[in-house]
Amino acid sequence: MTKALPSVSRPASPGFATFEEPRHALLIDGDGEPDYSAIQTSEDFLALKRRITRFILPATVLFLAWYITFVLLSAYAVDFMSTPLFGTVNVGLTMGFLQIVTTVIITMAYARYSKRKLDPQVDEVRALAETDEELA
């Protein structure tokens, strides 16, 4: 059985029918432009914000704690930071190098998280404001 698509805020193409259920109503204002305030309050957008916060907040807190620990140890625990590990490499140099390694790891983890979790959600949010002209 075919169904005609309901007109959301734009006129439906005459004679157009589909076998698929529409995923969600388009959030477009009367002028055919995206309704940004409606998009910001949509469940898809709020879910995207939650997913971003779920990664960014813990990663930021952990990295800042690690960085502040490094800075405080460098300033107040000079004897500990100058303890040789092997040859001329000491604890301070090792921790400084690990700061760079940590930054690379966080960047790679965010890129992977973004590709797997955020990008599909971004596509859903973008679909809220797509028009037939943008799809063509």
Short mmCIF file of all heavy atoms in Angstrom, two decimals, residues 55 59 72 87 89 108 121 125:
data_model
loop_
_atom_site.label_atom_id
_atom_site.label_comp_id
_atom_site.label_asym_id
_atom_site.label_seq_id
_atom_site.Cartn_x
_atom_site.Cartn_y
_atom_site.Cartn_z
N PHE A 55 31.92 12.38 26.15
CA PHE A 55 33.34 12.17 25.87
C PHE A 55 34.18 13.36 26.32
O PHE A 55 35.21 13.20 26.97
CB PHE A 55 33.58 11.93 24.38
CG PHE A 55 35.03 11.65 24.07
CD1 PHE A 55 35.48 10.35 24.05
CD2 PHE A 55 35.93 12.66 23.81
CE1 PHE A 55 36.81 10.06 23.79
CE2 PHE A 55 37.25 12.40 23.54
CZ PHE A 55 37.70 11.09 23.53
N ALA A 59 37.27 13.47 29.40
CA ALA A 59 38.60 13.58 28.79
C ALA A 59 39.28 14.88 29.19
O ALA A 59 40.48 14.89 29.50
CB ALA A 59 38.50 13.47 27.27
N LEU A 72 52.62 21.18 38.79
CA LEU A 72 52.87 21.30 40.23
C LEU A 72 54.11 20.51 40.65
O LEU A 72 54.91 21.00 41.47
CB LEU A 72 51.65 20.86 41.03
CG LEU A 72 50.43 21.79 40.93
CD1 LEU A 72 49.24 21.18 41.65
CD2 LEU A 72 50.76 23.17 41.48
N GLY A 87 70.36 6.93 32.08
CA GLY A 87 71.22 7.90 31.41
C GLY A 87 70.92 9.31 31.88
O GLY A 87 70.88 9.59 33.07
N VAL A 89 68.07 10.83 31.12
CA VAL A 89 66.61 10.98 31.11
C VAL A 89 66.10 10.89 32.53
O VAL A 89 66.35 9.91 33.24
CB VAL A 89 65.95 9.89 30.22
CG1 VAL A 89 64.44 10.01 30.26
CG2 VAL A 89 66.46 9.99 28.80
N MET A 108 43.29 10.83 18.97
CA MET A 108 42.92 9.64 18.22
C MET A 108 41.63 9.01 18.77
O MET A 108 40.77 8.57 18.00
CB MET A 108 44.06 8.62 18.24
CG MET A 108 45.25 9.05 17.42
SD MET A 108 46.74 8.03 17.60
CE MET A 108 46.13 6.39 17.50
N GLN A 121 24.85 10.64 14.43
CA GLN A 121 23.89 11.53 15.11
C GLN A 121 23.83 12.89 14.42
O GLN A 121 22.77 13.48 14.30
CB GLN A 121 24.28 11.68 16.58
CG GLN A 121 23.23 12.35 17.42
CD GLN A 121 22.04 11.44 17.68
OE1 GLN A 121 22.19 10.24 17.79
NE2 GLN A 121 20.88 12.02 17.75
N VAL A 125 20.56 14.93 12.78
CA VAL A 125 20.20 16.33 13.06
C VAL A 125 20.12 17.11 11.76
O VAL A 125 19.21 17.92 11.55
CB VAL A 125 21.18 16.97 14.05
CG1 VAL A 125 20.95 18.47 14.18
CG2 VAL A 125 21.07 16.30 15.41
#
